[in-house]
Amino acid sequence: MAKAPANPPSSLGYALLGLIHQQPRAGYALAKVFTTTPMGHYSGSPGAIYPALRALERAGLIRGRVERGGTLRPKRVFSPTRKGLAELRRWLEPPVSGDDVIWRLDELMLRFAFMDRLLTRAQTLRFLESFRDAVDVYVAILETHRAETASTMSLHGRLALESGIAGYQTQARWARHALGTLRKKRSARTRKVRRP
Amino acid sequence: MAKAPANPPSSLGYALLGLIHQQPRAGYALAKVFTTTPMGHYSGSPGAIYPALRALERAGLIRGRVERGGTLRPKRVFSPTRKGLAELRRWLEPPVSGDDVIWRLDELMLRFAFMDRLLTRAQTLRFLESFRDAVDVYVAILETHRAETASTMSLHGRLALESGIAGYQTQARWARHALGTLRKKRSARTRKVRRP
DNA sequence: CGATACATGTAACCGGTTACATGATTTT
DNA sequence: AAAATCATGTAACCGGTTACATGTATCG
């Protein structure tokens, strides 16, 4: 069984590991992903990226090869090691907990985005189902809280709480939408086989 | 004009300042707010609360009075100073920027929740309008991004992006709802005057 | 030729987490 | 009497921010 490492990567570390798995990249290219796409809400500052890459390398999860594209400016292109892929899987697999939904919602979306290449369809569906369930539970908690405090809370407090509830309800709806989409989708293989 | 202090409080500091303004409280009571309500997503650990309170006190924004309720366990109940109230207002006033929406959405909701006692209705409406506009702009950016990368992005990437878009659309809808609610509401004074 | 983009790094600082520590009071 | 809650604090650690530092390559 895969054991958790003593010092697991930070959330940013997993983001980098996942991007590197999509395709080998250098630090600068990774930083550009964060600054030019709405990926998670990670900062692409060198002071965050390069130390995180070094930590991943020290932990043996990625390996960097120096590339000179004919020019004289070297860049270190990183690829995941076998250990790195295993760690990525270990991060992606677990079902969604209540704490995940409250404290690490962004990270859950990041995990989902990286899941397609590393988990089976069944595992992905289980992830989405646990996400949906955990969000439903939290929405119920929030609604209970609203009902219990409705009389004492100020109008502004109530509205702010309703913003949170609406946000989580949207996530629950999204989870159902995603489940529907993934269940409908036939794998490439199946489609090929079905061709006349 | 109110000048920004050299070392403004952290987000947690403003949350504490706002709660203390709602009613004077001690550290333990403040911690309990974070652990027993869905307020923001701040941690109520003593290692966060007490140093933050000390920093607010050092900055002259709050003042603590020791209370002994007949018993022998003293507690320090904090109240905002005049300077603290001014700093709270300074934090609440500014219109919402694009960066706020991307990086500090939770803090914006916190600001809204504390606004009712310290800003005028007109200021609150301006805040909500700028919030709505900033969210609309960001939704447009995200949708453009989706359109531009739709062909190259994986199904999972697309779905994750759509989760983000749906979340922000929900916030935009909420802002309109809140604006409607606050515009309809008549102030207590107006209502009194209109009574036959 | 100047500006922008590519490319990588370091170091001080800061705030929050985790864990530890202590003791009174209330509840079961 | 034990357990839970009230109540306040400290200290090591860690990760990210900000700012600094350096140099190449490309573009207008």
Side-chain angles (χ1 to χ4, degrees):
Chain A
M1 230 243 297
K3 285 239 185 69
N7 292 335
S10 66
S11 177
L12 172 62
Y14 284 114
L16 294 170
L17 193 49
L19 285 173
I20 286 169
H21 170 246
Q22 285 186 346
Q23 76 176 268
R25 292 181 228 239
Y28 188 83
L30 291 163
K32 233 182 22 174
V33 172
F34 294 134
T35 53
T36 64
T37 76
M39 246 223 35
H41 288 339
Y42 296 97
S43 135
S45 71
I49 303 280
Y50 291 103
L53 286 172
R54 198 133 28 91
L56 289 172
E57 205 175 24
R58 266 205 322 273
L61 304 178
I62 62 175
R63 196 177 9 244
R65 275 187 310 286
V66 175
E67 272 188 20
R68 291 180 202 74
T71 92
L72 278 187
R73 96 188 111 87
K75 62 177 166 175
R76 306 192 60 212
V77 177
F78 293 97
S79 309
T81 61
R82 277 213 297 312
K83 199 173 161 194
L85 288 182
E87 180 57 27
L88 203 43
R89 249 185 232 105
R90 229 187 45 70
W91 175 61
L92 294 174
E93 271 171 9
V96 175
S97 73
D99 274 13
D100 286 337
V101 161
I102 298 177
W103 300 102
R104 290 175 292 275
L105 195 58
D106 283 2
E107 197 181 315
L108 290 177
M109 278 302 139
L110 194 66
R111 281 171 60 187
F112 178 76
F114 287 145
M115 229 164 248
D116 46 355
R117 313 230 204 145
L118 283 155
L119 297 193
T120 65
R121 157 121 42 151
Q123 284 177 309
T124 301
L125 293 177
R126 272 201 296 281
F127 172 87
L128 279 177
E129 283 156 6
S130 68
F131 177 77
R132 175 202 58 198
D133 294 346
V135 173
D136 282 347
V137 166
Y138 192 50
V139 167
I141 290 172
L142 291 177
E143 278 174 338
T144 302
H145 186 84
R146 175 178 52 175
E148 279 169 354
T149 61
S151 50
T152 61
M153 226 190 302
S154 70
L155 173 60
H156 277 229
R158 208 153 53 242
L159 284 170
L161 179 54
E162 278 163 10
S163 150
I165 293 175
Y168 277 105
Q169 282 173 334
T170 297
Q171 294 310 310
R173 242 179 293 123
W174 172 85
R176 288 175 168 83
H177 166 67
L179 275 168
T181 305
L182 292 186
R183 286 208 187 103
K184 254 202 315 253
K185 191 194 84 166
R186 276 164 218 144
S187 72
R189 175 123 82 122
T190 306
R191 228 184 281 159
K192 223 176 212 167
V193 167
R194 294 214 173 180
R195 257 184 209 156
Chain B
M1 225 239 299
K3 283 239 185 69
N7 292 334
S10 65
S11 176
L12 173 62
Y14 285 114
L16 293 170
L17 193 49
L19 286 173
I20 286 168
H21 171 245
Q22 285 187 344
Q23 76 177 266
R25 292 182 229 239
Y28 188 83
L30 291 163
K32 233 182 20 174
V33 172
F34 294 134
T35 55
T36 64
T37 77
M39 247 224 34
H41 288 340
Y42 296 97
S43 135
S45 71
I49 303 280
Y50 292 103
L53 285 172
R54 200 132 27 91
L56 290 173
E57 204 175 25
R58 264 204 323 273
L61 305 178
I62 61 175
R63 198 179 6 245
R65 274 188 311 286
V66 176
E67 273 189 18
R68 291 180 203 73
T71 92
L72 279 187
R73 96 189 112 87
K75 62 176 167 174
R76 304 192 61 212
V77 177
F78 293 95
S79 309
T81 61
R82 276 215 297 312
K83 197 174 162 194
L85 289 182
E87 179 57 27
L88 204 44
R89 249 185 232 104
R90 230 189 41 74
W91 175 62
L92 293 174
E93 270 171 12
V96 175
S97 74
D99 273 13
D100 286 337
V101 161
I102 298 176
W103 299 101
R104 289 176 291 273
L105 194 59
D106 283 3
E107 198 181 317
L108 291 177
M109 278 303 139
L110 194 67
R111 282 171 59 187
F112 177 75
F114 287 145
M115 227 165 249
D116 47 354
R117 315 231 203 144
L118 285 156
L119 297 194
T120 65
R121 158 118 41 148
Q123 284 177 308
T124 301
L125 293 178
R126 272 201 297 279
F127 172 87
L128 280 175
E129 283 155 7
S130 68
F131 176 76
R132 175 202 60 199
D133 294 346
V135 173
D136 283 346
V137 166
Y138 191 50
V139 166
I141 291 172
L142 290 177
E143 278 174 340
T144 303
H145 186 83
R146 174 177 54 176
E148 279 170 356
T149 61
S151 48
T152 62
M153 225 190 303
S154 71
L155 174 60
H156 277 230
R158 210 152 52 242
L159 284 169
L161 179 54
E162 279 163 9
S163 148
I165 293 175
Y168 278 104
Q169 282 173 334
T170 297
Q171 294 310 310
R173 242 178 293 123
W174 172 86
R176 289 174 167 84
H177 165 68
L179 276 168
T181 305
L182 291 186
R183 286 207 186 104
K184 251 196 327 244
K185 193 193 83 169
R186 275 164 216 143
S187 74
R189 178 124 80 121
T190 307
R191 227 185 281 158
K192 222 174 209 166
V193 167
R194 293 213 173 183
R195 259 185 207 154

